[in-house]
Structure formats: structure tokens, C-alpha cells
Amino acid sequence: MSATLPLFWDLSSVDKGKRIDASVELISTLEKLQASLEHRSAEWNEFLGEDDIEEEQYAQGASAARRMVHETRLDVLNAPDVAYSIRRLVRGLASPRESSRLGFAVALTELLSRVTTVSCAQILALLLEGSRATSNQTGQEERDLLFARLFGLTAIVHSGLFLRVRPLLPHSASAPSTLESCASVFAALRALACAKPWIAEAAYWAIGCAMDALAEANDDDLPWREEALRVLFDEEFGDSHSTDKGAEQGRSLWTPEKIALAMRAQRLWPEREHEWRGLWAPTIKHGNVLHPSNLVTLARILREGEIEDDESVAKIPSRAWRPQVHHVWDELLNELLSPEDSGRTPRGSFEDFFRIVVDESLFAESASNERKYWGFVIFQKALPRVKAVDLPMLFTKNFMRTWINHLSHLDRYLHSFARQIASPIISTVQRDPTLGLAFILQLTGVHGNQQFDKLTRTKTVESILTTMNVEGIKEYIARLMDYARGGHSYWQHDIQVIDARRSWVIEQFAALFRNCAIPKNDEWMHLILDWFVIHGIFIVKKKFRRGSPAAAYGVPLPPLSDNLRRECRECLLSCLADLTRLSAVTKSANQTQKMKGFASDGQLWISKVLQTIRQLEEDPKHVEPLIYFDQADREKLQDAFKMVICLRKVSGDKKEEAQGVELLLQSCILRFYVGDSNHRGDVASLESCIDSASRLFSLSQNNLDSNESFKDDELQVEPIDILADLIIGFLENGTAFTRAVGNQTFSLLSSAVKDSTIGLILTQLERRDPSELVADFDEIDEDDNQSFENNHDMGGGSNAESFLTGVKDDENSKSDEASNEELRKKTTGFTWANSTDAKGDMSGEESEAGPDDDQMLAMDDQLALIFKDRAREKKGKGKDGAQREATHFKNRILDLLNIFVRRQPRSPHILRLLVPLLVLTFSDEKQLSEKAAGLLKSRIGKLKEVPSAIDIVKTSDILNELHIRARKVHSRDALAAIGLCSLYVSRSLLSVGAEETVRLAYNVSLIDFTERKASDLDTQFFCDFIRRYPRAAWGMRAVLLDAPAKAVNTYRQGQAYVLLQMLLNHLPLLPDTELEEVGAFLRQLQCKLYSVISSACNTNATFSSNLKEVLKLALVGARTARRLAAGCKSFATIWEPTSWTELSNRLVAHDRFKASAMLVGICKQIIQSTQIYQVPSSIREAEHIDGQGLGVIGRSKRKADVCLDTGVSDKRRK
């Protein structure tokens, strides 16, 4: 027994792995001990001679003597360790320590399944005796005993002991289990379920497992199987011949556990339906729990916990609520939503079941939050099992209402759990993308809400769209188009409701383009663009023929309103803006490249839209354009399309530029069709673009009927400047489409940019007086009002009304959008009211006529007042609004400059951008200054390419201006930005050999820094130059050498010493011919440093703060000379050890410096570095090999030596 005792400890471990390992080791040990036991047949036969009836009497509670006999039988038939282990495992089931109950139950189950010398009655009696409750026990002790009985009975069931009929010994007639012992197990489980409600579910789950074992057994192996089933069903569901009224009343009580047993019996023995009819009646009819007539009763049982067959009997109080749903739901869902490979046919309708039992019961308006929680859990269980065609059965009316309500408000009780339901939906779509459309249709369908994401503040629909494949997106688009077409029976007759639904469809189309995570495909994107063109620019009169590409769109019923057509045009431009910024892989005959704004076939998206427009213009039978052009406008459009054809023929180096001009020209053409606010401006832009394109690429204009006078005026202007001016106009317009087209066009035309073009762009960044901006806006308002009056006088009320409905929203400001919408409501409402009043007094044909002259005059007065109010609102914005618009515009101009620097890093025009960008960094507008500073630091400052073909004179002027600004700037950040620009310009000049120009600029700034106290320069400005370009900085050695003596104060003097040290640490590789210059410089440096230190020791001056920097500089100089002396012996005489030894002694003797061990230590290091003649020749040669050239001399290592030696000296001093 000593071998098995230690194995019980790990059975209580909280680690599952340890518990399993301990169980395996224990069982294997006990099996070996039991196998080694000698067969004592005579002794066993004495105990096995007892009949089964006595054994059953013992199980039911016989006398103490009888129990003693069976205790002895357990000891005789089994090894001592086995008998002890069985008893200890049974007792351990009641232990609350850690995970004892789990570990002991697993070990007991496995042991009972392997040991064949125990009977079911024995273990059952042992278990009942060990888990018997007494009156003096606490509540916790009582719960432990109930759990012990539950786990013990479950171990008997899972081990198969209660169905084992094989004799204990080969020659014995006694069986381990009988019908009576099996019935006793069932009775013990039922009694346990009646003891406490909270343990009933687990007890009946064990009964269900026993039913599964009975179903798997054969009649030949288990002769009394049918009798055991009949006993179980009669005791559980009741027998009509029973005379026990108490038992009859208990059997009439239907609980979820009883439903679970009925479902299991129905699944295991479907051929016994005729028996179930009698046993389950009258509560469950037709012998089928899932029969439609039983669903209401089933919903009540599962909701309330239990009901009586007799409605006159008072209802038993419901059980306490638990968050875990009953296992009966798994039985129900497995039956209704069985897998396809199971071979089972559902015996009920899942649609009716979920609607009655779940939706109308758990999600009812009067249902509690606890019941709704159960409903959400059941939805989660059913979701992975449901097929795509059955998804509408889950998203029922009450469920969707409850889900949306709890999602919409953070303070709802089930808000967090409602959000968790969206996760399995997205996971399901990720596993099967074909389900995405079905989910979206339910979330935005009849029971859901079109604005589901907005209403619930989630991104459920959007996330589902991102996980769908291309085919699913196409099917979704087809559903939306069919939805927008109208004419369905479910559409209401209210025109406002129809417009709202169609507006939602338009927004969904735009969202597909806007969301970058949705898989893009040319086919469905072209489909949506054509839909916007058909319903935004044309009016469909007749259904398209079957073979037409537009046949799928149909005729909308009722027709789209003017506001919806305006939304279609706006969304068309918005989608084109997204496509213009979208990068796509274009495939051509020669190559494959990634470009923005192009489809996969290499054609511009705007070109595809214009192609659709031209095709529809040639089909007046089916469509009618909203806008008619006169002959002059049509000639301009024809010239533009001819120019597009010519641009497509351009090849070679100018092909990219031709693509940029084509994009700009086709954008002007599209605005000609879509824009209705400034027609004259669109015509002028179109003419300018055509003329500039022909001049830029030297294209023939024989077939173009352009305005000759317009050409003559622009002959003196570069064509690229005209195109740039058009791009600037696009940016000033402020819409997403014009911004995207302007940026992409400029990116393609960046290689053709000239100096005049840069000047034109930089002019837009100049600061203007806000009063001038306000005046410009007032002029624009007056022009708009004048154009409105002219149009009104020429075209009457219908033209005025069409103008009012065509007012465009400003995309840059929400306040402007609100004001424009308010203006539209005022004017539209006023014109509608007048037309209604006019029609009220008419009848017949007169009611269809327009308003008369008096009514038109009244409308003019009212409209004039409305526009005056609008003008006052704009003027009320004043300087702040104008300044804000100017800032936004300058930000867009900075985007152009960023594009230019990114696309043309070797352009000499970048140098011209530096000063204007620096000016913007000092701007009061934080956003503008930060963007300009970021462009200088992150883009220009990190360029690796050097500008080519620069003008030395202009570049020198730029460098000088930068240094002038650096001397007077009052910001450290601004000085850092100027320093980066100065380095960039210096690199450009050095690349063309203008080293003297760069050196002169830095010399002047260095003199200003050291000799002028008010100078804003710092050492970092010069250190960056020395570090980047040490060869050019070497030419500044004379000025640097004289700087300490001419410094305006001691601080600047110390900074000058730091710069000299930086110069020595970054000496370049010099040829042998220049080594004499280095030697001469070091001699002068040694003399000046010796003089400075000597004067500090001789006089009582206050000079001491810079002595440390002077000595450090001297140490660097001495080490530099020592390294040079390895290759040229003339350097050995530069630093005299005797002089520095004398100087060190004077410092030690000085009252002021002798306490500074650091200064003395640096002097000793200088002396050691100067004593070259004492170094062996081998070491000298090794140093010569290690220090070839004058590269970075001891930059990091020598500094570490200084600090290390100094630190050691300080420690010794202390």
C-alpha cells in the first residue's frame, strides 16, 4: 500500500495534466497488483454463494451484519491496495480541496471499468453510505455530499458497471449487475434530482448517458434491457395503471430535464412513437416533442422551468435563474439542425420552433433581461449550424428589435453581450464568404434597419462586406439595384419613404468604393459607375433592349427625384475620386505596372465613364439627357474628345505626361456634363486644357475649332503653366473629386514642371490680407446673384427652380452644408407653396399651367430676400472664415509640393522651395506650419539624390538667404529646419564644385556666432556641417582657430573650442601633399592652447570655466599628432612633452586648480600621448597600420578614454 499512497496526492492538483498522469499511474499500478493476486476459489465461492436477492437487499439498506459481509467480500475478491483505493476514491468525491472531486471521479471511473471483481450493488451501497447526509451538517457539507453522490453515480454509468453481466469468476453464476441494481442506479439519480433543483440538470444528464448505453447494448448481451427501459420510462413519464397518487402527481410535472429525456428517447428509439403517445399525453401530443401543436407548451416549459399537466393545479414556483442554458437546448438544436452527414431527418420545423419557442417567448416585449440573455446564447449556438437558406429564420422580428436596442445604448443591461454576438457572425462569414450576402440582407432587411451600423454604432455590415468575395459583392450590388428600381409590392406609396430607401442604396454604392478593405473588381465598380451615370445624368424613358449593357438597370418606378439625381452625380464624382487615388496593376502588351486612376486594362476610369455617357447620348429612344448643350458647346466637346484620341497616341518619354493631360482634360469634360454651377468657367477651362495640350505635345489642330483670340492671348504663357493653373483651380474648388484629379494630374506632369510653374505655385502660398479675401468672396457672391437674376429673367421660374435644386454643398465645412441645406429647404418650400396656391383655384387643364406673372413677381421678391439673408450669413463669417478657407487651400498647395519632391527628387527646382516653406513654418496657423516643417524635415531633408544642373548663382543666393535667416531666427525648431535646408543646398553646391561658396557662407555665420552676442546660431548648426562635409569644413580651420580669441564672451569661447574638437575628430583622408597643412595647423593649435592655459595659471583672472574644454581639445590634438607621427616623423616635434610636463606641474601647484583631479589627469594623458620617442617601434608600426589616413580619429574611443582616465584619477584622489 505504500506504493499507491503517494499517487493520490496529484489527483487533487489544479493542473489537468498532472491529474491525468496521476490517474494513469494509479490505475496501471492497481491492475498489476490485482493480476498478481492468487486465485482463492474456495474462499471466493463461500462469498459468491450468496444469491443476488441478498445482494440487492444489502444495496437497499440491510442490517449491519450484512454490510459487514459485503465489506469482507470486497476485501477478499480484490487486492488490498485495490480495495483500499476503491474506498478512498469513493470517500474522496466529497472532498472540496482544489480539484479532488474531478481527479478522484476520473480515477474511479477508469478503475471500475477495468476491475471485474466488483459489482454495481457493492459500489452503489458504498457510495450511498459514504454520501449520506445528517441533520447536524452545514450547507456546504451537504452540497459536498450531494456532489459526491452525483460524481459517484456518473462514474458507475460511464464505467459501464451498471450494465455488466459477465460473471465475476469463470465458474460463478453471480453477475456484477442485474435489473434491480440498474433500476437502483436510476432511482438514486432521480432522488438526487429531487433533492435540490440546482443539481437536477446534472442528474438527468447522467440518466441520459445511461440511456445512450442502453441503446448501444444488444438484447443477447443484456437480456433485461427492455425491462430496464420500461422501468425507466414508467417511473419518469408515468403509467396510466398506477395507483400511487403521489407518484402520479410527480410524473405529471414536466421540466426541461424531462423534455431532454423525451428528446433523447425520441432520437434513440424512433420506432416507439406509439408508446410515446400514451406516456407523454396530455402535455406532449402526437408522440413528438417538436410537433407544431406542442411548441407553445414547450416554450412555456423551457421559459418557466416546469408546468403541470392539470391547468387547475397551482403552478410550482420557477427555479432560480442561471446564466448557463439547459442542455436540453443542445438536444433540440441537434434534432432540428442535424448535420448533413448524420443521416437523420429533422422531425420538426426549425422556423416554427425558433419563432415560437425563442422569439415569441424569450425575446418577447415582456421578457426579462435574464430570458433575453438565454435567447442570445441560443442564437449563438444555432448560428454555426444554420445553412444560408435558413438564416432568415434566425433573424426574427423580436430578436432583431432586442439586439438593436441593446446595441444602441451603452447603459443597456445586455449591451456588452449583444456586441459579442456580432463576432460569431463575422467569423461565420470568414469561414464561408457565401453567407455574407444573407447576413447583410437580414441586418438591413425587413426586421433589421438600413442604417444598422449607424444605429448600433458598430461596423458589423461593413466588416461583413470586407470578408465577402467578389461574387458575393456582385450579388449584393444586384440586390441593391433591384431594391432601388422599385415597383415591388412591399414598397409604400409615400414618396418620402421611397426616396429615403433609394438614398440609402446610393450611400451603400459609395461605401463600397470608400472602404479600402472591400475586394475591388473592375466589373462591379464599372457597373455602379454606369448606374450613377444613367440615373444622375440621364432620365430612363424606356426599358433597354435585352442585349444592351444597361438592360440590368431597368426603369425605376416611380422615377428618381431631382435630389436623388443630384446625389447620384455627387456620388459619381466621389467614387471617381476614390478610384483616382486607388493603385491598380495595369496590364498592357509590353509591361505590367502599378498606376493610380487606371483600370486593369490600362484605361482611365474617367474615360470609361465618358464612354458610357457617349453611348447613352446615341440612344435617345431609351434615355433622355438632363442637360442639353448648344451647338458651340457640342463643338467644344468634340474638340476635347479628338484631343483625347491624339493624347493616347503619344509615346516614349512623354507618355506619362500625356496621361496626366488626358486625365485633366477628361475631368473637365465630365464637369461639363455634371457641373451646373459655373458653365462659363467650365467652357474656359476646357478651351485652356485643349490649347495647352496641343502646344505641350506639338499636336496638330487642323480638326480643332478653338478660339483663335484665346490662343493669341496665351502664346506667351508656357503650356505647363496653364495646366498648373487649371490644377490650382481644381484644388481651389475644394471637392474630393477635383482634389484627387488635381493631385494625380500634377504627379503625372511633374517631369514637365518648369521654373515659371514653381513660381506660379509658390505665389499661392503668399500671405494675403484677410480683408482682401473677404472682398473676393463678396465679389463671387455678387456674380452668383447676378447670374441667377440673368438666368431667371431669361428662363422664368422653371430655370430658377432648377438652379435652386442644383445648389452644391460645400464639402469642407459642416456649417456650410447645413446652411446650404437650409437655403434649399426655404427656396424649394416657397416655390412649392406658390405653385400649390396657384393650382388651388384652378381646375382641369388650367391646373397644369405654371404660375402667372403676378405670382412670379411675388416669388422674385421672396427669393431676393432669401439670397440677401444668405449673403449676410456669408459676410458674417468675416475674416475668420476667409482666413480658414485660405489655410485649407494652402494645405492643398503643399500637397502639390510634396508630390513634386517625391516624384522629382533630382529636380533643381526643389532649391527654390526652401525659403517659401521656411516662411510657412513661422506661420500663425499651426496646421500649416507643421505641414511645411514636415515637408522640409521628412521629405527634403532625407533626400539622397543631388539636384542636377543647378544654377550656382541662384543657389548661392538661396544659401546666403538661409544663413541670414538663421542668424535672426528666435526658435530652436526653426533653426534646426534652416540647418537641414542649408545642408541640402550645400550638398548641391559641393556636387558642382562650388566649395568656396559654401565655405564662405559658413565662415560668415561662424564669425557672427562668435563675435555677436545677439546671434541666434548654435553649435549644432556648425557641427552638422562638419559631420556631413568634413572636407569642406577643413577649409574653415583658420576662422575656427581664431574664433576663441575673438569670442564675445566665455560661453561662445567654449563653444568655439567644441567646434575645433569636432573638426579634429572628423579630419578627412588627405593626400601626402596636404599633410604639411595639417602639421602647420596642429602647431598653431598647440601654441594657442599652451598660451591660453599658461595665462590661466599665471594670472588671477576668472578664466576657468573653459579650461576643461581647452585641455580636452589639446588631448585630441596630441593624439592626432601621435597618429600622424607613425607615418611622418616630422609630427613628432609638434607637441613637446617637457612643456606640457611643466604646465602640469603648474596646474598642480595652482591654488585654484590643484583640487581638480580631472584637469590634472587630462594633462597627464596629453604628456603620455606626446612621448612618441618612448614607444617601441613595433607598437608604433601597429598603430600606423591601424590608423592609416586621417579618417575619424578617436571619435568615440578617445572620448571614452578621457572619461575613463578622469574617473580613475578622481577615485584615487578621493
Side-chain angles (χ1 to χ4, degrees):
M1 188 174 297
S2 60
T4 59
L5 285 177
L7 301 178
F8 285 92
W9 289 103
D10 286 340
L11 291 179
S12 303
S13 175
V14 293
D15 187 359
K16 180 180 178 181
K18 288 185 178 180
R19 293 199 306 269
I20 294 177
D21 294 340
S23 300
V24 172
E25 189 174 358
L26 176 63
I27 299 304
S28 61
T29 302
L30 294 177
E31 277 188 313
K32 295 177 182 179
L33 295 175
Q34 185 71 8
S36 62
L37 185 66
E38 296 182 359
H39 295 285
R40 293 172 290 181
S41 303
E43 205 173 337
W44 284 350
N45 289 334
E46 180 182 350
F47 291 96
L48 294 177
E50 305 289 339
D51 55 8
D52 294 335
I53 298 176
E54 292 177 344
E55 188 175 282
E56 180 59 29
Q57 291 175 353
Y58 166 74
Q60 294 178 354
S63 62
R66 182 68 62 182
R67 288 198 300 270
M68 183 63 66
V69 170
H70 289 287
E71 288 285 344
T72 306
R73 174 188 287 186
L74 181 63
D75 295 331
V76 171
L77 296 179
N78 300 280
D81 286 26
V82 175
Y84 170 78
S85 297
I86 292 175
R87 292 188 179 94
R88 180 165 180 177
L89 289 175
V90 171
R91 291 196 306 268
L93 296 176
S95 174
R97 185 174 66 89
E98 293 182 350
S99 300
S100 298
R101 191 173 291 121
L102 295 176
F104 278 61
V106 171
L108 180 62
T109 303
E110 191 65 21
L111 182 60
L112 294 180
S113 65
R114 293 173 181 267
V115 177
T116 61
T117 55
V118 293
S119 64
C120 178
Q122 267 184 321
I123 303 302
L124 181 61
L126 186 63
L127 176 65
L128 296 179
E129 182 66 24
S131 59
R132 181 179 301 170
T134 59
S135 59
N136 58 349
Q137 290 176 338
T138 62
Q140 180 62 43
E141 293 173 345
E142 183 182 3
R143 283 191 293 271
D144 292 337
L145 292 176
L146 290 176
F147 276 121
R149 183 167 296 187
L150 173 64
F151 277 81
L153 292 172
T154 306
I156 293 175
V157 171
H158 280 286
S159 64
L161 180 61
F162 77 112
L163 297 180
R164 190 181 302 165
V165 295
R166 187 176 58 183
L168 297 179
L169 293 176
H171 304 288
S172 173
S174 177
S177 181
T178 61
L179 174 62
E180 290 76 11
S181 62
C182 180
S184 299
V185 173
F186 288 144
L189 287 171
R190 293 184 69 249
L192 181 63
C194 297
K196 295 291 182 181
W198 50 266
I199 206 171
E201 180 184 353
Y204 273 90
W205 174 80
I207 295 176
C209 294
M211 292 174 62
D212 292 338
L214 284 171
E216 293 177 0
N218 297 326
D219 291 337
D220 297 337
D221 298 334
L222 193 65
W224 42 267
R225 185 175 73 94
E226 289 296 329
E227 289 80 358
L229 290 175
R230 187 170 301 279
V231 170
L232 174 63
F233 295 147
D234 289 344
E235 291 295 330
E236 186 61 40
F237 300 112
D239 188 1
S240 58
H241 301 290
S242 177
T243 58
D244 188 356
K245 295 183 179 180
E248 183 69 23
Q249 183 177 354
R251 297 186 190 102
S252 65
L253 183 66
W254 279 85
T255 62
E257 293 81 17
K258 198 171 182 179
I259 293 294
L261 289 184
M263 287 297 302
R264 195 179 293 262
Q266 185 175 302
R267 172 172 57 85
L268 296 175
W269 298 283
E271 68 279 359
R272 297 187 174 186
E273 184 176 347
H274 62 283
E275 297 182 17
W276 312 142
R277 290 175 181 268
L279 287 175
W280 299 345
T283 306
I284 303 298
K285 304 175 179 63
H286 307 287
N288 182 11
V289 177
L290 298 175
H291 192 274
S293 60
N294 297 325
L295 293 180
V296 176
T297 304
L298 182 61
R300 186 180 172 189
I301 294 173
L302 298 179
R303 181 182 69 249
E304 297 180 0
E306 50 195 24
I307 64 171
E308 295 279 356
D309 284 339
D310 189 1
E311 295 294 337
S312 62
V313 179
K315 186 181 70 170
I316 299 177
S318 300
R319 307 179 183 184
W321 180 83
R322 292 188 304 170
Q324 297 83 11
V325 296
H326 202 281
H327 73 274
V328 67
W329 290 102
D330 293 326
E331 293 284 346
L332 295 169
L333 295 178
N334 289 335
E335 181 65 26
L336 293 170
L337 301 174
S338 57
E340 296 180 356
D341 55 354
S342 63
R344 298 203 311 266
T345 302
R347 305 197 57 178
S349 172
F350 176 75
E351 181 179 6
D352 295 338
F353 169 79
F354 195 84
R355 176 177 54 84
I356 298 174
V357 180
V358 180
D359 190 65
E360 296 178 358
S361 176
L362 300 181
F363 289 115
E365 294 184 2
S366 58
S368 63
N369 288 326
E370 291 79 7
R371 300 295 182 265
K372 293 176 181 177
Y373 179 86
W374 277 354
F376 285 146
V377 175
I378 295 164
F379 176 87
Q380 285 184 323
K381 287 178 174 290
L383 182 61
R385 310 166 189 246
V386 176
K387 302 177 183 178
V389 294
D390 298 332
L391 278 178
M393 304 177 187
L394 279 180
F395 295 90
T396 51
K397 179 180 178 180
N398 292 334
F399 165 74
M400 290 300 297
R401 185 199 72 248
T402 305
W403 189 29
I404 293 175
N405 288 341
H406 284 274
L407 279 175
S408 304
H409 302 86
L410 295 174
D411 57 346
R412 290 299 181 98
Y413 185 74
L414 299 176
H415 173 76
S416 59
F417 191 72
R419 291 183 65 90
Q420 295 178 13
I421 295 180
S423 299
I425 292 177
I426 299 173
S427 301
T428 303
V429 179
Q430 288 176 348
R431 290 192 300 268
D432 187 3
T434 59
L435 298 176
L437 178 62
F439 279 112
I440 292 177
L441 293 178
Q442 298 307 316
L443 297 181
T444 61
V446 179
H447 299 316
N449 193 286
Q450 293 177 352
Q451 304 292 339
F452 183 85
D453 284 355
K454 184 178 180 180
L455 184 63
T456 60
R457 302 174 186 176
T458 62
K459 293 184 179 181
T460 306
V461 176
E462 183 179 347
S463 301
I464 293 174
L465 286 173
T466 58
T467 57
M468 293 172 61
N469 53 19
V470 175
E471 296 301 325
I473 297 293
K474 291 180 182 178
E475 190 175 355
Y476 175 60
I477 293 172
R479 293 292 186 100
L480 290 177
M481 289 183 177
D482 181 69
Y483 191 71
R485 189 181 301 118
H488 303 289
S489 59
Y490 57 82
W491 279 67
Q492 301 182 17
H493 298 289
D494 190 355
I495 191 64
Q496 294 182 354
V497 176
I498 296 176
D499 287 350
R501 291 177 176 176
R502 285 175 170 170
S503 178
W504 172 78
V505 171
I506 294 172
E507 175 60 27
Q508 294 305 304
F509 284 153
L512 292 176
F513 287 85
R514 192 166 50 246
N515 193 340
C516 300
I518 295 177
K520 300 297 187 293
N521 179 265
D522 288 2
E523 184 177 351
W524 69 257
M525 290 192 293
H526 196 188
L527 191 68
I528 294 178
L529 293 177
D530 289 349
W531 191 89
F532 282 142
V533 169
I534 291 175
H535 296 294
I537 303 178
F538 295 90
I539 300 176
V540 182
K541 300 188 301 181
K542 185 179 179 182
K543 186 177 181 180
F544 293 94
R545 58 183 180 274
R546 186 179 298 273
S548 174
Y553 303 120
V555 181
L557 295 175
L560 272 70
S561 62
D562 292 340
N563 288 332
L564 291 178
R565 297 186 188 279
R566 177 177 56 82
E567 289 183 16
C568 288
R569 294 193 295 271
E570 292 176 354
C571 288
L572 173 63
L573 297 179
S574 174
C575 294
L576 287 174
D578 295 330
L579 291 176
T580 303
R581 291 188 290 262
L582 180 66
S583 297
V585 178
T586 60
K587 299 179 180 179
S588 59
N590 299 329
Q591 59 181 353
T592 300
Q593 55 183 348
K594 195 172 184 180
M595 302 185 66
K596 290 184 178 181
F598 288 82
S600 58
D601 58 356
Q603 187 179 4
L604 286 168
W605 281 108
I606 297 180
S607 178
K608 289 180 177 291
V609 171
L610 292 177
Q611 184 178 356
T612 302
I613 293 175
R614 299 195 71 182
Q615 291 176 356
L616 293 174
E617 284 181 333
E618 298 173 357
D619 189 10
K621 181 179 178 180
H622 298 91
V623 295
E624 177 185 356
L626 287 174
I627 302 176
Y628 288 94
F629 302 110
D630 55 18
Q631 185 62 29
D633 293 340
R634 291 193 173 276
E635 291 177 357
K636 295 297 181 186
L637 290 175
Q638 291 299 326
D639 292 344
F641 284 117
K642 292 178 182 179
M643 179 57 66
V644 170
I645 297 175
C646 295
L647 290 172
R648 291 176 180 174
K649 297 178 181 179
V650 177
S651 60
D653 297 338
K654 291 190 175 182
K655 183 178 180 180
E656 188 179 71
E657 299 174 9
Q659 291 175 343
V661 178
E662 180 186 353
L663 175 61
L664 183 62
L665 180 57
Q666 291 187 341
S667 301
C668 293
I669 297 173
L670 184 61
R671 292 184 67 196
F672 209 86
Y673 282 101
V674 176
D676 53 356
S677 59
N678 189 3
H679 181 67
R680 290 178 298 173
D682 293 339
V683 174
S685 299
L686 195 61
E687 291 177 347
S688 300
C689 191
I690 295 173
D691 181 74
S692 301
S694 62
R695 292 169 52 201
L696 183 62
F697 300 102
S698 301
L699 300 176
S700 175
Q701 289 189 341
N702 296 331
N703 298 326
L704 303 179
D705 299 329
S706 299
N707 191 344
E708 295 297 332
S709 61
F710 183 78
K711 297 180 193 176
D712 295 338
D713 294 339
E714 296 187 346
L715 286 178
Q716 302 301 325
V717 183
E718 293 289 343
I720 186 63
D721 295 347
I722 299 175
L723 295 175
D725 186 66
L726 290 175
I727 293 173
I728 293 172
F730 271 38
L731 298 181
E732 192 174 6
N733 184 268
T735 63
F737 172 72
T738 55
R739 288 200 303 268
V741 170
N743 290 334
Q744 181 61 16
T745 302
F746 188 78
S747 176
L748 295 172
L749 289 172
S750 59
S751 59
V753 168
K754 297 185 177 181
D755 189 67
S756 57
T757 311
I758 296 297
L760 177 63
I761 296 175
L762 293 178
T763 304
Q764 313 304 318
L765 297 176
E766 295 178 357
R767 186 178 182 86
R768 297 179 60 186
D769 188 0
S771 59
E772 297 179 4
L773 298 175
V774 175
D776 292 342
F777 285 128
D778 292 341
E779 292 177 4
I780 294 175
D781 292 339
E782 292 176 2
D783 293 340
D784 292 341
N785 294 335
Q786 185 65 30
S787 63
F788 168 74
E789 293 176 0
N790 294 335
N791 293 333
H792 181 69
D793 294 339
M794 294 172 60
S798 60
N799 290 338
E801 190 170 352
S802 64
F803 171 80
L804 294 173
T805 57
V807 176
K808 295 187 67 178
D809 294 340
D810 185 2
E811 298 182 3
N812 293 325
S813 175
K814 293 183 179 180
S815 60
D816 292 342
E817 291 179 359
S819 59
N820 288 337
E821 186 65 27
E822 183 180 358
L823 173 64
R824 189 179 298 108
K825 289 180 180 179
K826 288 181 180 179
T827 53
T828 306
F830 175 72
T831 54
W832 179 84
N834 279 277
S835 62
T836 304
D837 295 340
K839 293 178 182 179
D841 299 332
M842 299 180 183
S843 61
E845 297 179 356
E846 294 181 358
S847 62
E848 298 181 0
D852 55 15
D853 294 339
D854 295 336
Q855 293 169 349
M856 288 299 301
L857 290 176
M859 290 173 62
D860 287 343
D861 296 338
Q862 293 293 332
L863 291 175
L865 292 175
I866 292 174
F867 277 98
K868 286 182 180 179
D869 294 340
R870 176 64 171 162
R872 289 195 202 96
E873 291 177 2
K874 286 189 174 182
K875 289 182 179 180
K877 294 180 180 179
K879 298 181 180 180
D880 294 338
Q883 187 64 39
R884 183 169 56 254
E885 294 295 331
T887 301
H888 293 326
F889 173 67
K890 289 181 180 180
N891 277 327
R892 300 176 200 133
I893 297 298
L894 288 179
D895 291 336
L896 289 186
L897 298 181
N898 189 16
I899 293 172
F900 178 74
V901 175
R902 176 172 51 84
R903 292 298 305 274
Q904 304 296 327
R906 296 181 60 86
S907 174
H909 302 310
I910 298 178
L911 296 169
R912 191 176 174 184
L913 306 178
L914 300 178
V915 176
L917 289 177
L918 280 174
V919 174
L920 284 180
T921 58
F922 307 143
S923 174
D924 297 336
E925 294 289 341
K926 182 179 180 181
Q927 182 182 6
L928 193 63
S929 62
E930 289 179 353
K931 194 167 188 176
L935 181 57
L936 285 174
K937 296 178 182 179
S938 302
R939 182 67 67 181
I940 298 178
K942 294 183 179 180
L943 286 177
K944 298 180 180 179
E945 296 83 356
V946 179
S948 58
I950 64 172
D951 188 339
I952 297 179
V953 177
K954 293 183 178 179
T955 307
S956 301
D957 294 340
I958 293 174
L959 182 61
N960 293 330
E961 184 174 356
L962 290 174
H963 279 254
I964 292 173
R965 290 180 177 274
R967 299 167 201 158
K968 299 178 181 179
V969 73
H970 300 293
S971 172
R972 186 177 297 273
D973 295 335
L975 181 60
I978 296 175
L980 286 175
C981 297
S982 176
L983 292 175
Y984 178 75
V985 177
S986 300
R987 183 173 58 173
S988 303
L989 289 171
L990 292 174
S991 65
V992 295
E995 183 175 343
E996 186 62 30
T997 302
V998 177
R999 187 184 304 119
L1000 179 61
Y1002 274 93
N1003 282 338
V1004 175
S1005 296
L1006 180 60
I1007 293 172
D1008 181 82
F1009 170 64
T1010 56
E1011 299 182 9
R1012 190 168 67 91
K1013 187 176 181 180
S1015 178
D1016 291 323
L1017 295 168
D1018 58 6
T1019 54
Q1020 191 65 33
F1021 184 83
F1022 300 99
C1023 288
D1024 291 340
F1025 175 73
I1026 296 173
R1027 189 182 298 109
R1028 292 279 189 91
Y1029 313 110
R1031 181 61 182 264
W1034 173 246
M1036 300 171 54
R1037 60 187 182 276
V1039 180
L1040 283 171
L1041 199 58
D1042 296 337
K1046 299 179 180 180
V1048 66
N1049 51 33
T1050 56
Y1051 174 75
R1052 295 292 172 86
Q1053 188 180 41
Q1055 297 299 307
Y1057 288 128
V1058 172
L1059 294 178
L1060 280 171
Q1061 185 177 349
M1062 179 69 67
L1063 180 63
L1064 288 178
N1065 286 331
H1066 292 83
L1067 283 179
L1069 285 172
L1070 296 177
D1072 295 338
T1073 56
E1074 298 183 11
L1075 290 179
E1076 293 297 332
E1077 297 179 3
V1078 178
F1081 173 72
L1082 291 177
R1083 289 187 181 92
Q1084 295 177 8
L1085 179 63
Q1086 193 261 356
C1087 294
K1088 289 183 176 293
L1089 295 179
Y1090 184 85
S1091 176
V1092 170
I1093 299 174
S1094 179
S1095 61
C1097 294
N1098 291 335
T1099 63
N1100 294 325
T1102 58
F1103 174 79
S1104 61
S1105 58
N1106 292 327
L1107 188 58
K1108 178 182 176 182
E1109 300 297 334
V1110 174
L1111 290 174
K1112 283 185 179 181
L1113 179 59
L1115 178 60
V1116 174
R1119 287 176 173 172
T1120 303
R1122 176 183 177 181
R1123 188 175 293 271
L1124 293 175
C1128 183
K1129 295 183 178 181
S1130 61
F1131 286 89
T1133 59
I1134 295 177
W1135 297 82
E1136 299 177 359
T1138 56
S1139 301
W1140 287 96
T1141 303
E1142 179 187 355
L1143 189 60
S1144 176
N1145 296 331
R1146 293 172 60 185
L1147 285 174
V1148 173
H1150 199 280
D1151 296 336
R1152 187 171 186 178
F1153 301 132
K1154 64 181 180 180
S1156 177
M1158 178 174 50
L1159 298 180
V1160 177
I1162 296 176
C1163 284
K1164 291 181 179 179
Q1165 293 183 50
I1166 294 173
I1167 295 171
Q1168 293 175 0
S1169 299
T1170 56
Q1171 293 175 349
I1172 302 178
Y1173 55 88
Q1174 297 178 359
V1175 179
S1177 59
S1178 60
I1179 299 178
R1180 208 176 301 169
E1181 292 175 0
E1183 289 185 354
H1184 172 67
I1185 295 173
D1186 180 61
Q1188 286 292 333
L1190 299 178
V1192 178
I1193 301 177
R1195 178 167 38 184
S1196 60
K1197 182 177 179 181
R1198 297 310 183 188
K1199 286 184 179 180
D1201 291 344
V1202 172
C1203 297
L1204 181 60
D1205 295 344
T1206 303
V1208 172
S1209 300
D1210 288 340
K1211 290 181 180 179
R1212 291 176 179 175
R1213 183 69 178 178
K1214 292 180 180 179

